[in-house]
Amino acid sequence: MYVAHVGDSRIVAGVKNRYNRIEPKALTIDHKPSNRSEIERIEKLGGQVLYKNGVPRVVWARTKHSHTGPVRRSTHVDHIPFLAVARSLGDLWSYQFEHEDYLVSPEPDITHHIIDPEHHRFLVIGSDGLWNMMSVYDAVRQVEKYSWERANKSGGRLLSHTISKQLVQTTINKWNARSLRADNTTAITIFFEFPRS
């Protein structure tokens, strides 16, 4: 399995260990402006990371709203702590002409993983709204528990869409319990079902 990842959504595998317990194995590293390597890359391109409401963000240097005419070195700019991700697709505003590169990079991390039918059970792909409220351990435990319950009630079929829905609902309930406005929350659960010989 190849994984091409950019941003702060996360992919976690549920993997059976030697004690027959399912454990989480993160397959991606979040591209956040709190990561030392991402800060160094951004600063090397002339950008910066500032905190806003306790969250590190990539700074958007934009001309003041009152500015008219061409942009020169003497043009006054506002420095706005903007995005809480260090890599994403489509953030053209972050292009640095001087360095011919993006502060918010579209370059993915690409990894290769061998799926072992004896150990790999499922993947959980979730947006940051999911992972901000739920640990990888809690997510894997919930998928493991729910998949067994559903498999036993549905004649052996794993209903991954209902498991994903439950992950999202559990997360939204956690956002609400903390009286916080929920971040976008998406989950996809993929089960590995291997043919039996």
Side-chain angles (χ1 to χ4, degrees), residues 31-36 38-39 42 49 56-58 83-86:
H31 296 135
K32 294 196 175 199
S34 55
N35 294 353
R36 186 79 240 148
E38 294 295 339
I39 293 171
I42 290 165
V49 174
R57 296 176 183 273
V58 180
L83 273 188
V85 293

Side-chain angles (χ1 to χ4, degrees), residues 141-176:
R141 292 287 165 263
Q142 186 169 339
V143 173
E144 179 184 24
K145 179 178 181 273
Y146 195 69
S147 64
W148 281 110
E149 289 173 359
R150 295 301 295 172
N152 291 333
K153 291 178 183 175
S154 61
R157 289 184 303 123
L158 294 176
L159 304 176
S160 60
H161 66 281
T162 57
I163 295 168
S164 299
K165 183 177 179 181
Q166 184 174 344
L167 283 171
V168 169
Q169 190 59 57
T170 300
T171 304
I172 290 172
N173 292 344
K174 289 183 179 195
W175 282 99
N176 291 336

Side-chain angles (χ1 to χ4, degrees), residues 36-80:
R36 186 79 240 148
S37 61
E38 294 295 339
I39 293 171
E40 289 171 2
R41 181 187 59 75
I42 290 165
E43 290 177 347
K44 186 176 178 182
L45 294 173
Q48 64 183 134
V49 174
L50 294 177
Y51 281 79
K52 180 179 179 184
N53 300 329
V55 177
R57 296 176 183 273
V58 180
V59 171
W60 178 20
R62 71 163 191 212
T63 58
K64 293 197 175 282
H65 283 299
S66 59
H67 177 75
T68 58
V71 176
R72 296 188 171 88
R73 287 186 183 171
S74 60
T75 301
H76 292 286
V77 296
D78 289 323
H79 292 87
I80 302 164

Side-chain angles (χ1 to χ4, degrees), residues 4-8 29-33 37-43 45 47 49 58-59 83-96 100-110:
H5 171 254
V6 61
D8 61 357
I29 297 172
D30 296 352
H31 296 135
K32 294 196 175 199
S37 61
E38 294 295 339
I39 293 171
E40 289 171 2
R41 181 187 59 75
I42 290 165
E43 290 177 347
L45 294 173
V49 174
V58 180
V59 171
L83 273 188
V85 293
R87 298 193 204 183
S88 71
L89 300 177
D91 284 297
L92 303 178
W93 63 269
S94 77
Y95 188 75
Q96 302 296 298
E100 298 182 345
D101 207 347
Y102 293 90
L103 295 178
V104 181
S105 174
E107 184 175 336
D109 287 335
I110 300 173

Side-chain angles (χ1 to χ4, degrees), residues 9-20:
S9 294
R10 189 178 305 161
I11 302 174
V12 175
V15 182
K16 186 170 73 169
N17 66 19
R18 60 184 173 156
Y19 305 107
N20 277 341

